[in-house]
Amino acid sequence: MRAIWKGAVSFGLVSIAVRLYSATEEKDIRFHQVHRDDGGRIRYKRVCSIDGEEVSYDDIAKGYDLGGGEMVILTDDDFADLPLTTSRAIEVLEFVPAEQVDPILYNKAYYLEPDKTAAKPYALLRDALTNTERVAIVKVALRQREQLATLRVREDVLVLNTMLWPDEIRAAKFDILDEDVSARPAELAMAGSLIESMAADFDPATYTDNYREALQEVIDAKVAGREVVQPEETEEAPAAAVDLMAALRASVERAKAARGETAPAKKTASAKKATAAAKHDDEVAGATPIKRTAAKKTTTAAKKAAPAKKATPAKARKSA
């Protein structure tokens, strides 16, 4: 890996010299735009929209559109005068509980490697964050832009996660959610049972990018000069409309079958709640439980039909 930034973590009066490395990389297969007939690369020229002349990089500046055809032009000197107090420092602002940082704020991750002379203060900050179960909120300037970020520990390495600013997060406003929509207790309990039946420990290594693997196979086949034959996929007919409770129940059974749970398992707490809630909902809706009285009536009738045994007199027993 190649370091993309060098600076220091400012931790109170302690300074920790570090180097920054990208912690992630995209594995997407990239393509060039080419001419279909001869495979020639498609090139783009930087052309001025006013005089039609091609412009070199040295003559390109940044423009801010004011609207109405007006443009404010900013040069490199304008950007150089901007105050960036954290240009070569990662300034720790405060330490907060990790669960208070909303994951939607996270943007990109970087590893921090200490210099040889900064190994001890690096380990000090790392272990202190681990023991207190907190993350550091910091400011850092990357690529001429000041960014908010967090410092946290991952596998004994300090990780810098750049974050979006709060005003960069869009508000979720959906009118349909303003309506009074709620699930019945039976449906909620059955959904809990479905979650329990699909519960597992997260292991990212078990998931693969099937699309990328198939695309790579197509490319390899093109290189080898062979044709790729994809199996035909049968389109499933649209499912008939079913009620939510039936769909949840079927989902639970399918999840159990996928895990190989063929034998009847002991009812979980959620399943018991779902059954009880469903029974309660049916009774509220007016469903009358069927009383099992048929067998009782049959037994009583049989007793009446059978001839009763006569008692033997005491004198008859003596004579005998």
Side-chain angles (χ1 to χ4, degrees), residues 281-309:
D281 290 345
D282 290 341
E283 291 177 356
V284 171
T288 305
I290 301 175
K291 295 181 179 179
R292 302 181 179 276
T293 56
K296 188 176 181 181
K297 289 181 179 179
T298 305
T299 306
T300 307
K303 286 182 178 180
K304 289 183 178 180
K309 293 182 179 180

PDB file of all heavy atoms in Angstrom, residues 281-309:
ATOM      1  N   ASP A 281     -57.142 -12.253  18.400  1.00  0.00           N
ATOM      2  CA  ASP A 281     -57.711 -11.461  17.315  1.00  0.00           C
ATOM      3  C   ASP A 281     -58.938 -12.126  16.713  1.00  0.00           C
ATOM      4  O   ASP A 281     -59.911 -11.463  16.353  1.00  0.00           O
ATOM      5  CB  ASP A 281     -56.669 -11.235  16.215  1.00  0.00           C
ATOM      6  CG  ASP A 281     -55.570 -10.287  16.684  1.00  0.00           C
ATOM      7  OD1 ASP A 281     -55.792  -9.621  17.719  1.00  0.00           O
ATOM      8  OD2 ASP A 281     -54.528 -10.216  16.021  1.00  0.00           O
ATOM      9  N   ASP A 282     -58.896 -13.474  16.603  1.00  0.00           N
ATOM     10  CA  ASP A 282     -60.053 -14.189  16.051  1.00  0.00           C
ATOM     11  C   ASP A 282     -61.262 -14.061  16.971  1.00  0.00           C
ATOM     12  O   ASP A 282     -62.403 -13.887  16.519  1.00  0.00           O
ATOM     13  CB  ASP A 282     -59.702 -15.670  15.854  1.00  0.00           C
ATOM     14  CG  ASP A 282     -58.707 -15.850  14.713  1.00  0.00           C
ATOM     15  OD1 ASP A 282     -58.598 -14.912  13.882  1.00  0.00           O
ATOM     16  OD2 ASP A 282     -58.052 -16.893  14.652  1.00  0.00           O
ATOM     17  N   GLU A 283     -61.039 -14.150  18.289  1.00  0.00           N
ATOM     18  CA  GLU A 283     -62.147 -14.041  19.222  1.00  0.00           C
ATOM     19  C   GLU A 283     -62.739 -12.648  19.208  1.00  0.00           C
ATOM     20  O   GLU A 283     -63.940 -12.462  19.280  1.00  0.00           O
ATOM     21  CB  GLU A 283     -61.661 -14.414  20.626  1.00  0.00           C
ATOM     22  CG  GLU A 283     -61.331 -15.896  20.774  1.00  0.00           C
ATOM     23  CD  GLU A 283     -60.784 -16.208  22.158  1.00  0.00           C
ATOM     24  OE1 GLU A 283     -60.606 -15.247  22.929  1.00  0.00           O
ATOM     25  OE2 GLU A 283     -60.572 -17.390  22.454  1.00  0.00           O
ATOM     26  N   VAL A 284     -61.851 -11.637  19.074  1.00  0.00           N
ATOM     27  CA  VAL A 284     -62.343 -10.268  19.003  1.00  0.00           C
ATOM     28  C   VAL A 284     -63.151 -10.060  17.735  1.00  0.00           C
ATOM     29  O   VAL A 284     -64.146  -9.350  17.700  1.00  0.00           O
ATOM     30  CB  VAL A 284     -61.155  -9.281  19.056  1.00  0.00           C
ATOM     31  CG1 VAL A 284     -61.613  -7.871  18.760  1.00  0.00           C
ATOM     32  CG2 VAL A 284     -60.509  -9.330  20.425  1.00  0.00           C
ATOM     33  N   ALA A 285     -62.697 -10.715  16.639  1.00  0.00           N
ATOM     34  CA  ALA A 285     -63.402 -10.572  15.365  1.00  0.00           C
ATOM     35  C   ALA A 285     -64.716 -11.333  15.345  1.00  0.00           C
ATOM     36  O   ALA A 285     -65.490 -11.231  14.399  1.00  0.00           O
ATOM     37  CB  ALA A 285     -62.516 -11.066  14.232  1.00  0.00           C
ATOM     38  N   GLY A 286     -65.030 -12.121  16.362  1.00  0.00           N
ATOM     39  CA  GLY A 286     -66.311 -12.809  16.424  1.00  0.00           C
ATOM     40  C   GLY A 286     -66.249 -14.272  16.112  1.00  0.00           C
ATOM     41  O   GLY A 286     -67.277 -14.929  15.986  1.00  0.00           O
ATOM     42  N   ALA A 287     -65.086 -14.841  15.962  1.00  0.00           N
ATOM     43  CA  ALA A 287     -64.975 -16.268  15.672  1.00  0.00           C
ATOM     44  C   ALA A 287     -65.239 -17.051  16.951  1.00  0.00           C
ATOM     45  O   ALA A 287     -64.627 -16.804  17.972  1.00  0.00           O
ATOM     46  CB  ALA A 287     -63.589 -16.585  15.130  1.00  0.00           C
ATOM     47  N   THR A 288     -66.198 -18.015  16.917  1.00  0.00           N
ATOM     48  CA  THR A 288     -66.553 -18.815  18.089  1.00  0.00           C
ATOM     49  C   THR A 288     -65.793 -20.114  18.077  1.00  0.00           C
ATOM     50  O   THR A 288     -65.823 -20.834  17.085  1.00  0.00           O
ATOM     51  CB  THR A 288     -68.066 -19.113  18.074  1.00  0.00           C
ATOM     52  OG1 THR A 288     -68.752 -17.885  17.973  1.00  0.00           O
ATOM     53  CG2 THR A 288     -68.468 -19.847  19.342  1.00  0.00           C
ATOM     54  N   PRO A 289     -65.095 -20.435  19.134  1.00  0.00           N
ATOM     55  CA  PRO A 289     -64.357 -21.703  19.164  1.00  0.00           C
ATOM     56  C   PRO A 289     -65.301 -22.896  19.090  1.00  0.00           C
ATOM     57  O   PRO A 289     -66.394 -22.871  19.669  1.00  0.00           O
ATOM     58  CB  PRO A 289     -63.611 -21.660  20.490  1.00  0.00           C
ATOM     59  CG  PRO A 289     -63.783 -20.284  21.036  1.00  0.00           C
ATOM     60  CD  PRO A 289     -64.930 -19.662  20.346  1.00  0.00           C
ATOM     61  N   ILE A 290     -64.907 -23.919  18.364  1.00  0.00           N
ATOM     62  CA  ILE A 290     -65.734 -25.124  18.224  1.00  0.00           C
ATOM     63  C   ILE A 290     -65.612 -25.960  19.476  1.00  0.00           C
ATOM     64  O   ILE A 290     -64.522 -26.306  19.892  1.00  0.00           O
ATOM     65  CB  ILE A 290     -65.292 -25.942  16.992  1.00  0.00           C
ATOM     66  CG1 ILE A 290     -65.429 -25.076  15.736  1.00  0.00           C
ATOM     67  CG2 ILE A 290     -66.086 -27.213  16.860  1.00  0.00           C
ATOM     68  CD1 ILE A 290     -64.902 -25.737  14.509  1.00  0.00           C
ATOM     69  N   LYS A 291     -66.752 -26.273  20.097  1.00  0.00           N
ATOM     70  CA  LYS A 291     -66.740 -27.096  21.312  1.00  0.00           C
ATOM     71  C   LYS A 291     -66.784 -28.569  20.923  1.00  0.00           C
ATOM     72  O   LYS A 291     -67.583 -28.985  20.098  1.00  0.00           O
ATOM     73  CB  LYS A 291     -67.947 -26.759  22.184  1.00  0.00           C
ATOM     74  CG  LYS A 291     -67.921 -25.332  22.720  1.00  0.00           C
ATOM     75  CD  LYS A 291     -69.123 -25.064  23.592  1.00  0.00           C
ATOM     76  CE  LYS A 291     -69.082 -23.637  24.144  1.00  0.00           C
ATOM     77  NZ  LYS A 291     -70.248 -23.343  24.980  1.00  0.00           N
ATOM     78  N   ARG A 292     -65.923 -29.332  21.518  1.00  0.00           N
ATOM     79  CA  ARG A 292     -65.851 -30.753  21.220  1.00  0.00           C
ATOM     80  C   ARG A 292     -66.805 -31.501  22.130  1.00  0.00           C
ATOM     81  O   ARG A 292     -66.414 -32.046  23.142  1.00  0.00           O
ATOM     82  CB  ARG A 292     -64.414 -31.250  21.382  1.00  0.00           C
ATOM     83  CG  ARG A 292     -63.422 -30.528  20.500  1.00  0.00           C
ATOM     84  CD  ARG A 292     -62.047 -31.070  20.683  1.00  0.00           C
ATOM     85  NE  ARG A 292     -61.102 -30.393  19.810  1.00  0.00           N
ATOM     86  CZ  ARG A 292     -60.890 -30.709  18.545  1.00  0.00           C
ATOM     87  NH1 ARG A 292     -61.552 -31.701  18.011  1.00  0.00           N
ATOM     88  NH2 ARG A 292     -60.007 -30.041  17.829  1.00  0.00           N
ATOM     89  N   THR A 293     -68.128 -31.516  21.791  1.00  0.00           N
ATOM     90  CA  THR A 293     -69.150 -32.162  22.615  1.00  0.00           C
ATOM     91  C   THR A 293     -69.735 -33.391  21.962  1.00  0.00           C
ATOM     92  O   THR A 293     -70.533 -34.102  22.558  1.00  0.00           O
ATOM     93  CB  THR A 293     -70.297 -31.173  22.893  1.00  0.00           C
ATOM     94  OG1 THR A 293     -70.791 -30.702  21.633  1.00  0.00           O
ATOM     95  CG2 THR A 293     -69.775 -29.967  23.676  1.00  0.00           C
ATOM     96  N   ALA A 294     -69.377 -33.664  20.706  1.00  0.00           N
ATOM     97  CA  ALA A 294     -69.980 -34.790  19.989  1.00  0.00           C
ATOM     98  C   ALA A 294     -69.641 -36.107  20.650  1.00  0.00           C
ATOM     99  O   ALA A 294     -70.501 -36.969  20.858  1.00  0.00           O
ATOM    100  CB  ALA A 294     -69.511 -34.787  18.538  1.00  0.00           C
ATOM    101  N   ALA A 295     -68.386 -36.295  21.002  1.00  0.00           N
ATOM    102  CA  ALA A 295     -67.974 -37.559  21.620  1.00  0.00           C
ATOM    103  C   ALA A 295     -68.642 -37.748  22.961  1.00  0.00           C
ATOM    104  O   ALA A 295     -69.035 -38.849  23.339  1.00  0.00           O
ATOM    105  CB  ALA A 295     -66.468 -37.590  21.775  1.00  0.00           C
ATOM    106  N   LYS A 296     -68.829 -36.650  23.698  1.00  0.00           N
ATOM    107  CA  LYS A 296     -69.452 -36.731  25.013  1.00  0.00           C
ATOM    108  C   LYS A 296     -70.901 -37.164  24.900  1.00  0.00           C
ATOM    109  O   LYS A 296     -71.402 -37.991  25.654  1.00  0.00           O
ATOM    110  CB  LYS A 296     -69.330 -35.375  25.698  1.00  0.00           C
ATOM    111  CG  LYS A 296     -69.779 -35.374  27.147  1.00  0.00           C
ATOM    112  CD  LYS A 296     -69.532 -34.016  27.763  1.00  0.00           C
ATOM    113  CE  LYS A 296     -69.974 -34.033  29.231  1.00  0.00           C
ATOM    114  NZ  LYS A 296     -69.770 -32.706  29.857  1.00  0.00           N
ATOM    115  N   LYS A 297     -71.637 -36.575  23.900  1.00  0.00           N
ATOM    116  CA  LYS A 297     -73.042 -36.939  23.695  1.00  0.00           C
ATOM    117  C   LYS A 297     -73.165 -38.407  23.306  1.00  0.00           C
ATOM    118  O   LYS A 297     -74.079 -39.114  23.732  1.00  0.00           O
ATOM    119  CB  LYS A 297     -73.646 -36.053  22.621  1.00  0.00           C
ATOM    120  CG  LYS A 297     -73.847 -34.607  23.093  1.00  0.00           C
ATOM    121  CD  LYS A 297     -74.479 -33.778  21.999  1.00  0.00           C
ATOM    122  CE  LYS A 297     -74.717 -32.338  22.450  1.00  0.00           C
ATOM    123  NZ  LYS A 297     -75.316 -31.519  21.399  1.00  0.00           N
ATOM    124  N   THR A 298     -72.271 -38.921  22.463  1.00  0.00           N
ATOM    125  CA  THR A 298     -72.333 -40.313  22.015  1.00  0.00           C
ATOM    126  C   THR A 298     -72.164 -41.266  23.183  1.00  0.00           C
ATOM    127  O   THR A 298     -72.867 -42.274  23.304  1.00  0.00           O
ATOM    128  CB  THR A 298     -71.248 -40.569  20.968  1.00  0.00           C
ATOM    129  OG1 THR A 298     -71.409 -39.621  19.912  1.00  0.00           O
ATOM    130  CG2 THR A 298     -71.329 -41.966  20.403  1.00  0.00           C
ATOM    131  N   THR A 299     -71.238 -40.961  24.062  1.00  0.00           N
ATOM    132  CA  THR A 299     -70.997 -41.820  25.231  1.00  0.00           C
ATOM    133  C   THR A 299     -72.218 -41.870  26.129  1.00  0.00           C
ATOM    134  O   THR A 299     -72.618 -42.926  26.620  1.00  0.00           O
ATOM    135  CB  THR A 299     -69.801 -41.290  26.013  1.00  0.00           C
ATOM    136  OG1 THR A 299     -68.701 -41.168  25.115  1.00  0.00           O
ATOM    137  CG2 THR A 299     -69.438 -42.218  27.144  1.00  0.00           C
ATOM    138  N   THR A 300     -72.858 -40.723  26.348  1.00  0.00           N
ATOM    139  CA  THR A 300     -74.064 -40.680  27.193  1.00  0.00           C
ATOM    140  C   THR A 300     -75.196 -41.496  26.584  1.00  0.00           C
ATOM    141  O   THR A 300     -75.913 -42.231  27.269  1.00  0.00           O
ATOM    142  CB  THR A 300     -74.515 -39.226  27.377  1.00  0.00           C
ATOM    143  OG1 THR A 300     -73.398 -38.471  27.850  1.00  0.00           O
ATOM    144  CG2 THR A 300     -75.647 -39.118  28.347  1.00  0.00           C
ATOM    145  N   ALA A 301     -75.387 -41.383  25.264  1.00  0.00           N
ATOM    146  CA  ALA A 301     -76.457 -42.136  24.595  1.00  0.00           C
ATOM    147  C   ALA A 301     -76.205 -43.630  24.676  1.00  0.00           C
ATOM    148  O   ALA A 301     -77.125 -44.428  24.842  1.00  0.00           O
ATOM    149  CB  ALA A 301     -76.543 -41.694  23.132  1.00  0.00           C
ATOM    150  N   ALA A 302     -74.965 -44.049  24.578  1.00  0.00           N
ATOM    151  CA  ALA A 302     -74.640 -45.476  24.651  1.00  0.00           C
ATOM    152  C   ALA A 302     -74.951 -46.035  26.015  1.00  0.00           C
ATOM    153  O   ALA A 302     -75.416 -47.165  26.154  1.00  0.00           O
ATOM    154  CB  ALA A 302     -73.172 -45.684  24.315  1.00  0.00           C
ATOM    155  N   LYS A 303     -74.695 -45.237  27.052  1.00  0.00           N
ATOM    156  CA  LYS A 303     -75.002 -45.705  28.407  1.00  0.00           C
ATOM    157  C   LYS A 303     -76.498 -45.914  28.599  1.00  0.00           C
ATOM    158  O   LYS A 303     -76.957 -46.829  29.255  1.00  0.00           O
ATOM    159  CB  LYS A 303     -74.471 -44.699  29.433  1.00  0.00           C
ATOM    160  CG  LYS A 303     -72.956 -44.747  29.589  1.00  0.00           C
ATOM    161  CD  LYS A 303     -72.503 -43.774  30.657  1.00  0.00           C
ATOM    162  CE  LYS A 303     -71.003 -43.847  30.851  1.00  0.00           C
ATOM    163  NZ  LYS A 303     -70.544 -42.904  31.878  1.00  0.00           N
ATOM    164  N   LYS A 304     -77.318 -45.001  28.019  1.00  0.00           N
ATOM    165  CA  LYS A 304     -78.776 -45.135  28.153  1.00  0.00           C
ATOM    166  C   LYS A 304     -79.287 -46.361  27.405  1.00  0.00           C
ATOM    167  O   LYS A 304     -80.218 -47.034  27.844  1.00  0.00           O
ATOM    168  CB  LYS A 304     -79.452 -43.876  27.625  1.00  0.00           C
ATOM    169  CG  LYS A 304     -79.240 -42.674  28.540  1.00  0.00           C
ATOM    170  CD  LYS A 304     -79.986 -41.481  28.005  1.00  0.00           C
ATOM    171  CE  LYS A 304     -79.819 -40.275  28.928  1.00  0.00           C
ATOM    172  NZ  LYS A 304     -80.540 -39.105  28.405  1.00  0.00           N
ATOM    173  N   ALA A 305     -78.723 -46.683  26.252  1.00  0.00           N
ATOM    174  CA  ALA A 305     -79.205 -47.795  25.431  1.00  0.00           C
ATOM    175  C   ALA A 305     -78.841 -49.140  26.021  1.00  0.00           C
ATOM    176  O   ALA A 305     -79.551 -50.127  25.851  1.00  0.00           O
ATOM    177  CB  ALA A 305     -78.638 -47.686  24.014  1.00  0.00           C
ATOM    178  N   ALA A 306     -77.755 -49.288  26.735  1.00  0.00           N
ATOM    179  CA  ALA A 306     -77.316 -50.572  27.279  1.00  0.00           C
ATOM    180  C   ALA A 306     -78.230 -51.006  28.417  1.00  0.00           C
ATOM    181  O   ALA A 306     -78.614 -50.200  29.258  1.00  0.00           O
ATOM    182  CB  ALA A 306     -75.891 -50.455  27.767  1.00  0.00           C
ATOM    183  N   PRO A 307     -78.674 -52.335  28.492  1.00  0.00           N
ATOM    184  CA  PRO A 307     -79.550 -52.830  29.564  1.00  0.00           C
ATOM    185  C   PRO A 307     -78.839 -52.812  30.900  1.00  0.00           C
ATOM    186  O   PRO A 307     -77.697 -53.225  31.006  1.00  0.00           O
ATOM    187  CB  PRO A 307     -79.881 -54.262  29.144  1.00  0.00           C
ATOM    188  CG  PRO A 307     -78.753 -54.639  28.216  1.00  0.00           C
ATOM    189  CD  PRO A 307     -78.345 -53.410  27.528  1.00  0.00           C
ATOM    190  N   ALA A 308     -79.541 -52.343  31.899  1.00  0.00           N
ATOM    191  CA  ALA A 308     -78.944 -52.253  33.233  1.00  0.00           C
ATOM    192  C   ALA A 308     -78.941 -53.616  33.901  1.00  0.00           C
ATOM    193  O   ALA A 308     -79.863 -54.398  33.754  1.00  0.00           O
ATOM    194  CB  ALA A 308     -79.744 -51.256  34.081  1.00  0.00           C
ATOM    195  N   LYS A 309     -77.898 -53.930  34.658  1.00  0.00           N
ATOM    196  CA  LYS A 309     -77.794 -55.199  35.364  1.00  0.00           C
ATOM    197  C   LYS A 309     -78.674 -55.183  36.612  1.00  0.00           C
ATOM    198  O   LYS A 309     -78.660 -54.215  37.360  1.00  0.00           O
ATOM    199  CB  LYS A 309     -76.340 -55.453  35.772  1.00  0.00           C
ATOM    200  CG  LYS A 309     -75.412 -55.682  34.571  1.00  0.00           C
ATOM    201  CD  LYS A 309     -74.010 -55.983  35.050  1.00  0.00           C
ATOM    202  CE  LYS A 309     -73.091 -56.233  33.877  1.00  0.00           C
ATOM    203  NZ  LYS A 309     -71.727 -56.522  34.309  1.00  0.00           N
TER     204      LYS A 309
END
